[in-house]
Amino acid sequence: MVIAVVRTVILYLLIVFGIRLLGKHQVGELEPAEFVLALIIADIASVPMQDYGIPLLMGVIPIITLLCLSMILSMLSMKSLRLRALLTGVPSILIRNGEMDQREMRRTRMTVDEILEELRLQGYTDLADVRYAILETNGQLSVLPYAKRKPPAAEDLDVEVSEGGLPVVLINNGRLLSHNLKKRGLNDVWLKKRLDEHKLHSVREVYLLTVDEQNQVCLVPKEAD
């Protein structure tokens, strides 16, 4: 029993020390290569924890080897931009000047719902407020608004601004969400007028259509593949 506890404590402290060597404050900041490393280390450590017939060194040596390899690759990536791009990837600009880059979103497999959720989490409900939205290599979305949209500018200037309310998605990647249309008290006639304004003939030609509580409309046509 004592041996099992000692082996578990040693492996646990070794893993904690190894993760701290990565220089990250939280798991959510791990880059892909580092996240895979953490998973492999956890899997290797679980074997000698459960099977007492396996020498402890059979778990310790692979873990130390992986940590050394990670440190070497980390130092090499600091000197080589190509190696760093290969190991960690490069940031992707998903929104540029208030417009979604649909090709980049397809490449990163980022859906409309996911990017709208990320924007709401950071306090942005209107694409027109966002100059750049960048998907970082650790999976986090960085949102850079226009200078005039940065809070609390309106409050500092003592300017009254009307609240647009929470936008509701009516069309998502060519699919009409009829229940949201009815929820906003709108109908097919209203929808057709919006399509006509943008010289569109059908819902399938729309990538995103939202409307807020003040009936402010945001329509993004679908780009050709």
Side-chain angles (χ1 to χ4, degrees):
M1 184 67 178
V2 175
I3 295 178
V5 172
V6 172
R7 288 163 66 99
T8 301
V9 170
I10 291 175
L11 290 170
Y12 172 77
L13 293 177
L14 179 61
I15 293 174
V16 171
F17 176 73
I19 296 298
R20 292 299 299 163
L21 283 178
L22 298 178
K24 303 296 180 180
H25 298 292
Q26 53 186 331
V27 176
E29 295 179 354
L30 292 178
E31 293 175 344
E34 297 166 335
F35 181 66
V36 171
L37 173 67
L39 292 178
I40 295 176
I41 288 178
D43 187 57
I44 292 175
S46 66
V47 176
M49 281 184 185
Q50 300 174 13
D51 190 347
Y52 305 145
I54 299 177
L56 184 60
L57 285 179
M58 296 298 292
V60 172
I61 292 177
I63 291 175
I64 293 178
T65 301
L66 287 171
L67 291 175
C68 291
L69 177 61
S70 176
M71 294 296 294
I72 292 173
L73 290 176
S74 178
M75 289 186 291
L76 290 177
S77 65
M78 293 177 63
K79 299 180 180 180
S80 173
L81 294 178
R82 291 184 178 180
L83 179 60
R84 177 168 178 78
L86 180 64
L87 292 176
T88 64
V90 294
S92 300
I93 300 178
L94 302 183
I95 297 179
R96 190 191 305 268
N97 296 327
E99 296 182 358
M100 291 182 178
D101 189 331
Q102 298 175 31
R103 180 176 299 178
E104 195 67 16
M105 289 180 65
R106 286 194 297 268
R107 190 185 70 81
T108 58
R109 294 179 294 282
M110 189 82 168
T111 66
V112 172
D113 293 329
E114 288 172 338
I115 195 169
L116 290 179
E117 178 182 357
E118 290 290 342
L119 292 177
R120 289 195 298 269
L121 288 173
Q122 301 196 39
Y124 299 97
T125 59
D126 192 343
L127 288 176
D129 293 339
V130 181
R131 186 175 186 185
Y132 295 107
I134 305 171
L135 183 63
E136 307 293 354
T137 56
N138 62 0
Q140 301 294 322
L141 187 71
S142 299
V143 180
L144 306 177
Y146 283 97
K148 62 181 180 181
R149 301 293 185 179
K150 290 182 179 180
E155 181 179 357
D156 290 342
L157 296 174
D158 196 23
V159 176
E160 293 186 3
V161 293
S162 59
E163 296 290 343
L166 182 66
V168 172
V169 178
L170 302 183
I171 299 178
N172 184 338
N173 197 12
R175 296 186 298 270
L176 175 63
L177 306 181
S178 301
H179 59 283
N180 283 347
L181 189 68
K182 295 179 180 178
K183 186 177 180 181
R184 273 285 183 257
L186 305 173
N187 52 36
D188 294 336
V189 175
W190 178 91
L191 180 60
K192 188 177 186 307
K193 289 182 179 179
R194 303 290 84 75
L195 295 178
D196 291 341
E197 289 174 358
H198 291 79
K199 299 181 180 180
L200 300 174
H201 301 91
S202 70
V203 171
R204 294 187 181 90
E205 300 178 63
V206 181
Y207 189 70
L208 174 66
L209 173 63
T210 65
V211 59
D212 62 19
E213 297 172 2
Q214 303 298 325
N215 288 328
Q216 295 295 320
V217 177
C218 173
L219 191 150
V220 181
K222 184 181 291 187
E223 297 177 353
D225 294 333

